[in-house]
Amino acid sequence: MLPTVGDLLGLDVVRRGSPRVVAGSSGLGARVRWVHVLELADVAHLLQGGEFVLTTGIALPSEPVLLARYAADLAAAGVSALAVELGRRYVGALPSALVRAAADSGLTLIAFEREVPFVEITEAVHARIIDAQLEELRASERLHEVFTELSVAGATPDEVVRQAAALAGRPVILADLAHRVLACEPASADPARLLADFARRSRAVGAASPRTAYDEASGWLFTPVGARGEDWGRVILVCDGPPTGTDTVLVERAATTLALGRLLTRHRESLDRQAHRTLISSIITQAHADPAEAAVRSRALGVPVDDRQLIAVVFRLSDPLAPLGALGVSAHARVLDVADIAAAACRTERIPALVGTLDDARAGAMLSLSPQADPDRVLTSLATLIRERLGGDHDRLEIGVGAAAGSIRDVRRSFLEASQVADVAAERPDTRGRESPPARPGEPLARPGRPLFYRLPDLRLRGLLHLLRDDPRLQTFVERELGALLARDQDTDLVSVLAAYLAAGGNKAEAAKSSHLARPTFYQRLHRIERILGTDLSSAESRTSLHVALLALEAARTGEAVRG
């Protein structure tokens, strides 16, 4: 960072001249780009601004009018300060006309009361300036390396903002043109204070002209993000003082990286989907130490969470590897399509919601409903619209709904429940859910009785076992029914054989076919299971008991995976 006039006055070599500021003390914070020794009166046209001018005054005019013009011309040229050594031309004090003109024009005027070698001042200051410039070059090179790596790696906006904040050591925010926060890294700042009433404050800070600008009132250094003449957002660096040249380079490189990322990413999510996905993921993984931070981020994205019914919904493709649509696209692109359709449906129904992908098979949404809203009615309308927009592929989508949460703190539990419900529904096509309304003539919505969405109670026995999975009595039952088999199930997967047999309703031939085993091999393993468990698989009661135990085991393992 270039030194200020005040910094120069603190140098030992300058202090030996007993400097005294006689006018323009408000300009001590001005940056000094270079030091010039000039003994001519007509020099303003040779200057470029930011110079610290040294003179003995020996060639300055004696007429007050010309002295005033000299000071005004230097101020107009943008010099940082004028320092005049007393003793050669002026003894004891500078001419009042020069002092008055400097004060009127805002020029910082300094008098050296003792003789000082100008060459020592120029050497000391130039060495400091060059060091500062070298440091800025090193910082710029580091920024270039970091942001180039991010561009090549296809980093997400969240990653770019995180790296920018780490390099700056200050908060960085990416917002769209609607003043919604798409990504935010608070650094050491309080996220709640940083994002409080963000949209209003952002609107108060006008667009940058030139492209990068600093708003002193808010402390924001900001630059637009976009390409091909179309801006779609802006990067904001929250400063604790006037920004440096390195700060400007940083926000501009961050903006360029974000713009390139959006241009080069194929099958990319929209910025909204990326921002929503990041927040949903942080809620599920409890990435925020304080739930209030997640609430602040949600409000910054336009989704209220206070005094609302917060309902998690998970959209799961029942066959994520099969082509979706006539052309067929990647698994992740299919889920992106589902997320975009769900987000558009929420907008149509005027439901504030976070909507984003969870993995290559599932998308998730957090619906924010008013306390007076009827969740069943809202969900029915929303699910109907989503399935209509999916067209012929709606039969491959299962929708799981979690219990309503009263605060952002409890939304994680709702998401986990909705995810488990959707997974079970996708695996069990016979599961009953909230059924479709009557289809319009000539345009069937789904096959008769097709569920629109599922809740935990809709899973029937599986739902009950899911609720009771941590009950010691159920765990004891599972061990009593299957413990011997689980302890012996090493060489062959006897549990899978038993599950296939029970799922086939005791039909051995069908079970052997579904297990891809020859019938004699399958029958042999069934006999082995009977010997290990000491039971008769031809008994309907035994099969029922074992089936319940297997479902309970599955529910317990699912719960362990979620907690892990």
Side-chain angles (χ1 to χ4, degrees):
M1 182 184 300
L2 293 174
T4 65
V5 174
D7 293 334
L8 267 56
L9 294 181
L11 296 177
D12 289 342
V13 65
V14 176
R15 292 172 61 186
R16 287 201 293 269
S18 299
R20 178 169 54 88
V21 179
V22 296
S25 58
S26 61
L28 294 179
R31 299 289 172 185
V32 176
R33 186 181 57 81
W34 207 242
V35 176
H36 278 310
V37 179
L38 297 172
E39 295 293 359
L40 299 176
D42 185 19
V43 294
H45 65 285
L46 302 176
L47 302 175
Q48 298 179 354
E51 295 89 355
F52 189 97
V53 177
L54 297 172
T55 182
T56 61
I58 194 169
L60 295 184
S62 57
E63 295 88 346
V65 173
L66 296 180
L67 276 178
R69 181 183 301 170
Y70 171 73
D73 288 347
L74 291 181
V79 302
S80 300
L82 169 65
V84 183
E85 181 186 86
L86 300 178
R88 295 183 182 273
R89 174 67 185 278
Y90 307 114
V91 179
L94 296 176
S96 58
L98 179 62
V99 174
R100 191 165 47 250
D104 292 342
S105 61
L107 174 67
T108 300
L109 180 60
I110 300 166
F112 282 121
E113 298 182 342
R114 293 182 182 179
E115 184 181 54
V116 58
F118 283 174
V119 65
E120 293 184 8
I121 293 178
T122 57
E123 286 179 351
V125 176
H126 288 170
R128 182 161 179 169
I129 290 173
I130 291 172
D131 286 344
Q133 291 173 336
L134 286 174
E135 186 60 33
E136 287 190 0
L137 285 174
R138 294 189 191 100
S140 179
E141 183 179 4
R142 171 62 178 158
L143 294 177
H144 173 75
E145 292 174 354
V146 170
F147 286 111
T148 298
E149 289 175 3
L150 291 171
S151 296
V152 172
T156 65
D158 203 58
E159 292 171 323
V160 174
V161 168
R162 188 180 304 114
Q163 282 290 339
L167 290 168
R170 281 163 288 169
V172 175
I173 301 169
L174 170 64
D176 64 12
L177 298 183
H179 306 282
R180 294 173 298 186
V181 177
L182 301 176
C184 172
E185 182 54 48
S188 59
D190 177 11
R193 293 188 60 186
L194 184 66
L195 299 179
D197 201 18
F198 176 84
R200 181 193 62 78
R201 292 187 292 124
S202 181
R203 288 187 176 93
V205 178
S209 181
R211 300 276 294 174
T212 302
Y214 175 64
D215 181 70
E216 188 174 358
S218 62
W220 287 3
L221 175 67
F222 58 97
T223 193
V225 184
R228 299 175 179 173
E230 295 184 4
D231 295 337
W232 47 261
R234 63 178 173 181
V235 177
I236 301 167
L237 173 64
V238 182
C239 302
D240 49 10
T244 65
T246 302
D247 292 331
T248 300
V249 172
L250 185 145
V251 296
E252 291 179 347
R253 285 308 309 269
T256 301
T257 303
L258 289 163
L260 285 174
R262 192 178 184 194
L263 286 174
L264 300 177
T265 302
R266 299 180 61 187
H267 303 305
R268 67 183 182 274
E269 295 170 273
S270 68
L271 288 169
D272 278 354
R273 296 290 70 72
Q274 291 184 46
H276 288 202
R277 171 175 52 81
T278 299
L279 182 52
I280 290 173
S281 176
S282 69
I283 290 172
I284 294 174
T285 60
Q286 295 182 318
H288 300 302
D290 185 356
E293 182 177 346
V296 169
R297 291 176 182 261
S298 180
R299 286 192 292 269
L301 283 169
V303 181
V305 295
D306 298 323
D307 300 321
R308 308 284 289 183
Q309 298 182 76
L310 304 178
I311 300 176
V313 182
V314 170
F315 308 93
R316 190 191 193 281
L317 291 171
S318 56
D319 186 7
L321 298 180
L324 184 65
L327 298 179
V329 291
S330 68
H332 187 61
R334 291 194 295 271
V335 177
L336 285 178
D337 288 340
V338 172
D340 286 338
I341 289 171
C346 288
R347 288 193 295 270
T348 299
E349 296 294 313
R350 299 182 181 276
I351 303 170
L354 299 174
V355 185
T357 59
L358 301 179
D359 51 37
D360 283 350
R362 296 173 299 173
M366 184 191 79
L367 310 183
S368 175
L369 309 183
S370 69
Q372 297 77 29
D374 179 352
D376 273 353
R377 176 172 294 183
V378 171
L379 288 164
T380 297
S381 178
L382 183 64
T384 300
L385 185 57
I386 291 171
R387 292 190 182 281
E388 285 178 348
R389 292 182 176 181
L390 274 174
D393 295 308
H394 66 82
D395 263 1
R396 305 224 333 259
L397 181 72
E398 306 299 348
I399 302 176
V401 177
S407 69
I408 198 77
R409 184 188 301 274
D410 299 323
V411 171
R412 175 179 184 270
R413 186 179 306 145
S414 183
F415 264 116
L416 297 180
E417 182 179 307
S419 182
Q420 293 167 10
V421 168
D423 288 346
V424 172
E427 295 167 5
R428 300 288 297 179
D430 58 335
T431 302
R432 293 180 179 273
R434 302 305 197 274
E435 295 184 352
S436 306
R440 293 193 295 268
E443 191 177 342
L445 174 64
R447 63 179 180 268
R450 177 71 168 96
L452 277 173
F453 59 90
Y454 301 89
R455 283 203 177 97
L456 190 58
D458 302 324
L459 303 183
R460 305 170 73 186
L461 178 59
R462 286 177 178 268
L464 174 64
L465 295 175
H466 174 79
L467 290 174
L468 299 176
R469 67 185 185 277
D470 294 326
D471 191 308
R473 292 170 294 183
L474 182 61
Q475 295 168 356
T476 300
F477 170 76
V478 172
E479 286 300 314
R480 185 172 64 246
E481 291 292 317
L482 298 173
L485 186 62
L486 294 172
R488 298 280 296 274
D489 191 17
Q490 300 172 353
D491 301 327
T492 56
D493 193 1
L494 297 181
V495 172
S496 297
V497 169
L498 177 60
Y501 174 67
L502 296 175
N507 186 321
K508 296 180 182 179
E510 182 182 337
K513 182 179 180 181
S514 67
S515 298
H516 305 289
L517 293 173
R519 290 187 186 182
T521 302
F522 190 83
Y523 297 163
Q524 181 182 14
R525 292 183 183 179
L526 283 181
H527 290 312
R528 185 179 176 192
I529 291 170
E530 288 181 319
R531 289 196 305 271
I532 293 172
L533 296 179
T535 189
D536 180 8
L537 293 179
S538 64
S539 166
E541 183 176 348
S542 293
R543 291 198 303 272
T544 300
S545 185
L546 289 170
H547 199 186
V548 170
L550 281 173
L551 293 178
L553 178 65
E554 178 185 328
R557 286 175 172 174
T558 301
E560 290 173 1
V562 169
R563 287 190 292 269

